[in-house]
């Protein structure tokens, strides 16, 4: 069956999204960064190794933290080992995207990998909790640039449609790091000590650095680099304030404590100052013109929502499983195979279909609709729900996440000007992380509020909110049932709130323009048409 190029299809007419400034663009789209298919695949595998190393690191630390605290003490600093990494990573993401646009992506990603590798070495040699946290900040200064740079390089390696397929493989790497991280962290700590979880990054980082140095070409941008220092600092302050405020409930006791509100005020001032500076900067860190394009603005909303669900809800679903079913942490972890399996199936299937048809809007609509449905079902589940039912709902949720999680990146990269692809990629990655950080704080406040007025009499006056899964399993069945019901009731508003987040994403997806990603050979013709207009 032939594919029409000029006849209008039934219904709303799908259209290309020409890059801004296409009129002044060169007649021919730049060739792929690596033209040889086999070499391009090898470079892509090197990039995936770097992504796996960076994303695995935050997961692998979680199961080793009790051992680290046992050696160094300072339990009050426990949370900062992870929070310092998240805070710093989120802060530097937009800056790395812009640096890649200005100086070329090869040396920017190599610098990020080198910083991450050196930070891993210092983490492995840490002598106190304070030095470990400082080393984690250094590590994150590199880790924040690795993912943004990889997504940006993918835009140089692959045409938009082909990129959709490879983006699905990137999603599998993210999924694998999340699933394997806690297991590897515990295993390495038991066999070789906790320092090994950081030192294992050294051979990987060095190998990837050498491979990219030899095989990844350097494409020099055709523009004079001008670094927007003021914009970068103000944006970093605004982003850091959002992430820090998300953790302020634990640090200051409440999200509305006066110190927490001070963080919010500082973030607002930074955001206002950033907008004023970017309006006049010749090379803004994040061009404000990105937000003027409806497609990008809608995709950023979807990215925030996907972060709130795909990242922010995971720990709370695990808590729900352990407190309402009596499952051990390991058995609850096995249930997440349903979620990760759904993500894998959905991501690969969506990537292939988008690569074939060029349409991504239907997958965004389906993804958010499935999110609304699955989280709505979760709100009706009660203590004692059969595990088969839980697994099916988690499979549905995972499938919904999988078919939509690549849409914001490929959509924004297609809609942004070629010169701003790195900045746009950094922005969409940042919004996903920001959505996760804000959602985590909201979810925590909801659960805490739901449990605050519940009183359950337990042996020795133990507070049921402080029970570990092992102690909970040892309680009499009647006490277990009361605790399970209390948590089940507390999670109902959480799941309803999460479903509401997804409803916002669904509305944004419905308003997306009906855009078809062009094939590589269609880009020159598209630009010629745009110039003729």
């Amino acid at each position: 069956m032939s594919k029409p190029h000029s006849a209008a299809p039934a219904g709303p007419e799908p259209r290309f999204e020409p890059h801004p400034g296409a009129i002044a663009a060169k007649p021919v789209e730049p060739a792929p960064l690596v033209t040889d298919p086999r070499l391009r695949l090898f470079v892509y595998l090197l990039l995936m190794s770097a992504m796996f190393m960076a994303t695995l690191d935050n997961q692998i630390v979680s199961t080793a933290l009790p051992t680290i605290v046992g050696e160094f003490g300072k339990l009050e600093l426990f949370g900062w080992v992870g929070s310092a990494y998240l805070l710093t990573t989120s802060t530097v993401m937009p800056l790395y995207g812009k640096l890649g646009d200005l100086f070329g992506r090869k040396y920017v990603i190599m610098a990020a990998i080198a910083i991450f590798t050196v930070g891993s070495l210092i983490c492995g040699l840490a002598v106190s909790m304070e030095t470990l946290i400082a080393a984690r900040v250094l590590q994150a200064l590199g880790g924040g640039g690795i993912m943004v740079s990889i997504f940006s390089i993918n835009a140089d390696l692959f045409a938009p449609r082909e990129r959709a397929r490879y983006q699905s493989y990137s999603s599998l790497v993210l999924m694998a790091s999340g699933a394997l991280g806690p297991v590897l962290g515990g295993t390495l700590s038991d066999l070789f000590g906790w320092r090994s979880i950081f030192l294992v990054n050294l051979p990987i980082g060095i190998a990837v650095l050498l491979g990219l140095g030899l095989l990844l070409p350097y494409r020099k941008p055709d523009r004079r680099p001008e670094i927007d220092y003021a914009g970068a600092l103000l944006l970093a302050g605004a982003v850091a304030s959002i992430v820090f405020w998300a953790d302020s409930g634990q640090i200051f006791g409440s999200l509305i404590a006066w110190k927490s509100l001070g963080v919010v005020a500082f973030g607002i001032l930074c955001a206002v100052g950033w907008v004023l500076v970017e309006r006049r900067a010749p090379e803004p860190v994040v061009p404000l013109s990105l937000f003027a394009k409806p497609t990008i603005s809608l995709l950023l909303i979807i990215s925030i929502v996907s972060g709130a669900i795909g990242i922010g809800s995971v720990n709370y679903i695990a808590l729900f499983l352990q407190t309402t079913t009596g499952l051990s942490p390991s058995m609850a972890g096995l249930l997440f195979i349903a979620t990760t399996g759904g993500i894998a199936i959905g991501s690969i299937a969506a990537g292939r279909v988008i690569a074939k048809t060029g349409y991504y809007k239907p997958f965004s609509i389906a993804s958010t609709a499935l999110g609304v449905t699955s989280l709505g079902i979760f709100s009706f589940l009660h203590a004692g729900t059969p595990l088969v039912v839980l697994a099916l709902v988690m499979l549905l949720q995972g499938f919904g996440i999988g078919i939509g999680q690549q849409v914001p990146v490929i959509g924004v990269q297609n809609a942004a000007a070629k010169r701003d692809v790195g900045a746009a990629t950094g922005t969409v990655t940042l919004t996903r992380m920001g959505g996760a950080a804000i959602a985590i704080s909201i979810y925590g406040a909801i659960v805490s509020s739901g449990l605050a007025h519940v009183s359950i009499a337990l042996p020795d006056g133990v507070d049921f909110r402080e029970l570990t899964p092992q102690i909970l399993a040892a309680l009499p069945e009647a006490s277990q049932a009361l605790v399970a019901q209390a948590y089940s009731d507390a999670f109902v508003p959480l799941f309803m709130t999460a479903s509401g987040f997804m409803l916002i994403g669904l509305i944004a997806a419905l308003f997306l323009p009906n855009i078809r990603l062009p094939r590589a050979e269609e880009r020159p013709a598209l630009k010629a048409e745009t110039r003729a207009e």
Side-chain angles (χ1 to χ4, degrees), residues 172-455:
L172 293 183
V173 173
L174 294 174
M175 178 198 69
S177 65
L180 295 176
V183 177
L184 286 177
T187 302
L188 289 174
S189 295
D190 290 341
L191 294 178
F192 307 108
W194 66 266
R195 297 178 188 276
S196 63
I197 67 174
F198 298 110
L199 298 178
V200 73
N201 291 328
L202 269 62
I204 301 174
I206 293 172
V208 172
L209 268 177
L210 292 175
L212 292 179
L214 294 173
L215 301 177
L216 183 65
Y218 172 63
R219 177 177 286 171
K220 185 178 180 180
D222 55 351
R223 61 211 278 191
R224 181 174 175 269
E226 293 185 46
I227 301 178
D228 177 20
Y229 294 103
L233 288 174
L234 288 168
L235 180 60
V239 173
S241 297
I242 293 173
V243 181
F244 189 67
W245 174 79
D247 283 335
S248 65
Q250 296 179 351
I251 300 170
F252 303 131
S254 171
L255 292 175
I256 57 174
W258 69 269
K259 291 182 179 179
S260 299
L261 295 178
V263 173
V264 173
F266 177 76
I268 293 173
L269 288 175
C270 287
V272 172
W274 171 71
V275 171
L276 295 176
V277 168
E278 298 300 80
R279 291 174 63 183
R280 295 173 174 81
E283 285 288 355
V285 176
V286 178
L288 297 180
S289 59
L290 291 177
F291 304 103
K293 200 169 185 64
T295 300
I296 293 181
S297 297
L298 290 169
L299 287 168
L300 291 179
I301 293 173
I302 295 169
S303 179
I304 292 172
V305 169
S306 67
I309 305 304
I311 302 174
S313 67
V314 172
N315 289 340
Y316 288 95
I317 291 177
L319 179 63
F320 173 80
L321 294 176
Q322 293 178 50
T323 54
T324 61
T325 65
L327 292 176
S328 65
S330 58
M331 290 302 296
L334 288 176
L335 262 184
F336 273 94
I337 293 176
T339 301
T340 53
I343 293 174
I345 296 170
S347 183
I348 292 177
R352 291 183 179 279
V353 176
I354 293 174
K356 183 177 181 180
T357 66
Y359 298 118
Y360 60 77
K361 177 179 178 176
F363 293 94
S364 188
I365 294 174
S367 173
T368 50
L370 287 175
V372 172
T373 303
S374 59
L375 290 163
I377 294 173
F378 260 121
S379 67
F380 287 99
L381 300 181
H382 53 79
T385 298
L387 296 183
V388 174
V389 175
L390 288 170
L392 289 174
V393 179
M394 294 175 71
L395 177 65
L396 179 66
Q397 184 192 26
F399 183 75
I401 293 172
I403 63 175
Q405 67 178 0
Q406 61 184 300
V407 167
V409 173
I410 60 175
V412 166
Q413 287 181 341
N414 182 66
K418 190 70 177 177
R419 59 185 276 125
D420 294 327
V421 164
T425 303
T427 303
V428 75
T429 308
L430 171 64
T431 54
R432 182 173 171 83
M433 298 297 293
I438 295 172
I440 287 171
S441 67
I442 293 174
Y443 298 152
I446 290 173
V447 173
S448 298
S449 176
L451 298 175
H453 305 295
V454 178
S455 178

Side-chain angles (χ1 to χ4, degrees), residues 388-530:
V388 174
V389 175
L390 288 170
L392 289 174
V393 179
M394 294 175 71
L395 177 65
L396 179 66
Q397 184 192 26
F399 183 75
I401 293 172
I403 63 175
Q405 67 178 0
Q406 61 184 300
V407 167
V409 173
I410 60 175
V412 166
Q413 287 181 341
N414 182 66
K418 190 70 177 177
R419 59 185 276 125
D420 294 327
V421 164
T425 303
T427 303
V428 75
T429 308
L430 171 64
T431 54
R432 182 173 171 83
M433 298 297 293
I438 295 172
I440 287 171
S441 67
I442 293 174
Y443 298 152
I446 290 173
V447 173
S448 298
S449 176
L451 298 175
H453 305 295
V454 178
S455 178
I456 299 176
L458 295 177
D460 302 323
V462 176
D463 187 343
F464 78 96
R465 288 170 285 263
E466 299 177 358
L467 294 174
T468 64
Q470 293 79 8
I471 297 176
L472 177 60
L475 292 175
E477 288 187 10
S479 298
Q480 289 184 38
L482 290 172
V483 173
Q485 188 59 49
Y487 273 98
S488 179
D489 293 342
F491 269 91
V492 170
L494 184 152
F495 289 128
M496 292 298 291
T497 301
S499 184
F501 287 157
M502 291 306 294
L503 182 60
I504 295 172
L506 175 58
I507 294 172
L510 289 170
F511 278 97
L512 280 174
N514 194 20
I515 292 166
R516 181 167 68 89
L517 298 174
R519 297 183 181 90
E521 64 272 16
E522 291 174 326
R523 274 297 186 187
L526 172 63
K527 289 189 174 182
E529 292 172 6
T530 307

Side-chain angles (χ1 to χ4, degrees), residues 54 57-58 61 65 68 72 77 80-89 92 96 112-144 194-195 197-199 201-202:
D57 193 79
N58 213 29
V61 171
L65 276 176
I68 297 173
F72 291 148
L77 298 178
W80 277 103
V81 177
S83 295
Y85 189 90
L86 176 63
L87 183 68
T88 309
T89 299
V92 300
Y96 269 103
I113 294 171
I115 293 171
F116 181 86
T117 304
V118 172
S120 298
L121 173 62
I122 299 175
C123 284
L125 300 177
V127 295
S128 66
M129 189 66 85
E130 289 84 356
T131 56
L132 176 61
I133 293 172
R136 287 283 283 168
V137 170
L138 175 62
Q139 195 183 33
L141 288 174
W194 66 266
R195 297 178 188 276
I197 67 174
F198 298 110
L199 298 178
N201 291 328
L202 269 62

